[in-house]
Amino acid sequence: MKFKGQSAVVVGGSRGFGRGVVERLMASGMTVTAVARNARDLEELARETSAKIIVADATDEQASERILSETKPNLLVLSAGTPLDLRPLHEHTWETFSKPWEVDTRLTFLWVQAVLRTNEGPEHVVVFGSGAALFGSPLSGGYAGAKKMNAFIAEYASGVASRAKRPIRFHCLVPPMSPHTEFGAAAARAYAKMAGQTFEDFVKQLPSPPSPADIGAAVVALHEDPKKWNQVSYGISAKGLAPVEIPNSNVIRSSSPRLTKKDEIIYWTTTGIVVGIMLWSAINFAFNPAMKGAFTHFGLPNWFRIELTVAKFLGAFALLIPRIPRMIKDFAYAGFAITLMSAPIAHLSSGDPIFYEIGHATFFICLVVSYLYYHKRIGGAA
């Protein structure tokens, strides 16, 4: 069994997606403790799966630190949440509107905070968001915002752990509406009614909604292969996992590196080669008198040599300095790409031997690899 000897705590593990996680983790060899408020549901789970159970209110400020201290899990899964109060905005009270914040977001905040405060906490935390954070949920009050904040909390925590050099991974699962749970079926019925459709017709339109078993398999996959799943937020469907961008989280995301040690070596090696050759070229342009003749050979004016020298210095520093804004780095990459494509054209047009192009091709490949790994590093799409 792949996780034999490891343990997990699943908050909200007595039913729905949480129960699916409990069952798949146990099938993978983990010792699992399920936490929930409903003792009857937990006792049923214990009878059917032999999972350990703890009856507790996950929003209690003392519960998170106490349970983590008692269980010392390798994996923490936060799947608990409040039932949806489904009604149009004008029919909500502030209490019904804000309840997802008081339960879903509060418990995520408290448990993640407890993980960051302890030195014996889990090395992996999976927080549950929702597709509502991406697409909205007009009948569920503050639910969409609460789930979006859960994703942000996972992002914030990932950045904190990274800066503190603590080996804690944070993930946020973002499942869409699913009729395979009591929670999701209730939402589907409400939205079917709003759309004037039958429940069956509405469900047919849902794109591959995941079952509890699918969710459990996704958590197993995230825990099993840290190098593969190196982004924070992932959408989940019956077809599997796919990275998602939570709107407006790119600034937070960039504070947490996304590369493995091997990837970092590739990034800095290729970047170093590009920066080194550009600085050497710029210095040569600036101080080697023969370069004036070379530019004349290409049919280029001397002022272009000076301009290109300055541009290469600036571009090299833009790639080398970590906190240069992304837009400027992208501009430097584009400028170097144009330079490395233009140089072979200039040599060939001037009748120079073709072996000149070998170096340019090599450096261009390094530039492309550096660019791709730079965007992987900041969590963006190249």
Side-chain angles (χ1 to χ4, degrees):
M1 292 187 178
K2 63 183 73 174
F3 297 144
K4 187 174 181 180
Q6 295 190 39
S7 64
V9 168
V10 181
V11 181
S14 63
R15 56 199 300 186
F17 286 159
R19 176 156 181 162
V21 173
V22 169
E23 292 173 350
R24 289 304 293 260
L25 290 177
M26 294 190 70
S28 298
M30 269 199 185
T31 300
V32 181
T33 300
V35 179
R37 286 184 293 183
N38 191 309
R40 181 179 298 177
D41 289 342
L42 282 174
E43 289 165 0
E44 180 183 339
L45 174 72
R47 284 194 301 270
E48 296 179 0
T49 67
S50 72
K52 298 181 180 181
I53 59 173
I54 296 176
V55 180
D57 179 356
T59 64
D60 186 308
E61 290 193 24
Q62 281 73 47
S64 54
E65 292 189 9
R66 172 176 59 81
I67 293 172
L68 289 176
S69 177
E70 291 173 357
T71 58
K72 295 181 173 56
N74 302 95
L75 169 65
L76 171 65
V77 180
L78 302 175
S79 66
T82 185
L84 294 180
D85 192 333
L86 294 157
R87 59 178 98 174
L89 179 65
H90 62 284
E91 295 180 9
H92 272 284
T93 65
W94 176 246
E95 287 71 24
T96 63
F97 185 89
S98 62
K99 192 172 182 181
W101 287 82
E102 293 296 334
V103 178
D104 300 50
T105 306
R106 178 182 171 89
L107 73 87
T108 299
F109 167 76
L110 291 173
W111 285 79
V112 168
Q113 191 176 64
V115 168
L116 293 172
R117 284 176 172 172
T118 180
N119 291 321
E120 300 180 350
E123 65 262 21
H124 188 195
V125 179
V126 178
V127 173
F128 270 61
S130 169
L134 301 172
F135 308 114
S137 181
L139 292 181
S140 59
Y143 176 77
K147 289 302 187 182
K148 186 171 182 178
M149 181 51 68
N150 278 6
F152 283 175
I153 290 173
E155 294 278 0
Y156 299 160
S158 181
V160 170
S162 175
R163 288 189 292 274
K165 301 189 183 305
R166 295 186 60 188
I168 309 173
R169 292 187 296 136
F170 289 89
H171 281 122
C172 181
L173 267 184
V174 186
M177 185 187 301
S178 173
H180 300 302
T181 67
E182 181 182 341
F183 181 94
R189 279 191 291 271
Y191 281 102
K193 182 179 179 180
M194 185 177 75
Q197 295 178 291
T198 65
F199 173 78
E200 291 75 16
D201 287 342
F202 181 82
V203 167
K204 288 178 183 177
Q205 300 172 0
L206 298 177
S208 302
S211 66
D214 294 327
I215 297 293
V219 172
V220 168
L222 290 172
H223 189 66
E224 183 180 18
D225 195 347
K227 292 182 179 179
K228 180 177 182 180
W229 310 108
N230 57 4
Q231 184 170 307
V232 173
S233 295
Y234 285 90
I236 169 67
S237 71
K239 298 178 180 179
L241 290 161
V244 297
E245 294 287 336
I246 303 298
N248 301 322
S249 68
N250 58 313
V251 175
I252 303 156
R253 185 182 304 283
S254 66
S255 67
S256 176
R258 298 282 172 255
L259 272 65
T260 64
K261 186 175 181 179
K262 178 182 176 182
D263 292 339
E264 286 281 358
I265 292 172
I266 294 173
Y267 167 71
W268 282 113
T269 300
T270 54
T271 304
I273 290 171
V274 171
V275 168
I277 194 63
M278 290 301 169
L279 286 176
W280 176 86
S281 176
I283 292 170
N284 199 34
F285 284 3
F287 301 108
N288 186 350
M291 283 297 104
K292 290 184 179 180
F295 273 74
T296 302
H297 169 66
F298 292 143
L300 299 171
N302 188 56
W303 62 261
F304 183 68
R305 176 184 64 86
I306 298 170
E307 183 181 88
L308 193 57
T309 299
V310 174
K312 286 187 174 185
F313 273 121
L314 293 177
F317 292 137
L319 296 193
L320 197 60
I321 299 172
R323 295 193 177 275
I324 293 292
R326 171 176 172 171
M327 182 176 68
I328 295 177
K329 283 185 180 286
D330 282 342
F331 188 78
Y333 276 114
F336 285 157
I338 293 171
T339 299
L340 289 171
M341 287 187 291
S342 299
I345 295 173
H347 280 288
L348 290 173
S349 299
S350 303
D352 292 334
I354 197 167
F355 69 79
Y356 279 106
E357 318 319 323
I358 297 174
H360 293 120
T362 302
F363 298 136
F364 185 79
I365 292 171
C366 288
L367 181 74
V368 170
V369 173
S370 171
Y371 176 76
L372 292 174
Y373 276 78
Y374 166 66
H375 279 272
K376 185 177 179 183
R377 193 169 191 263
I378 64 173

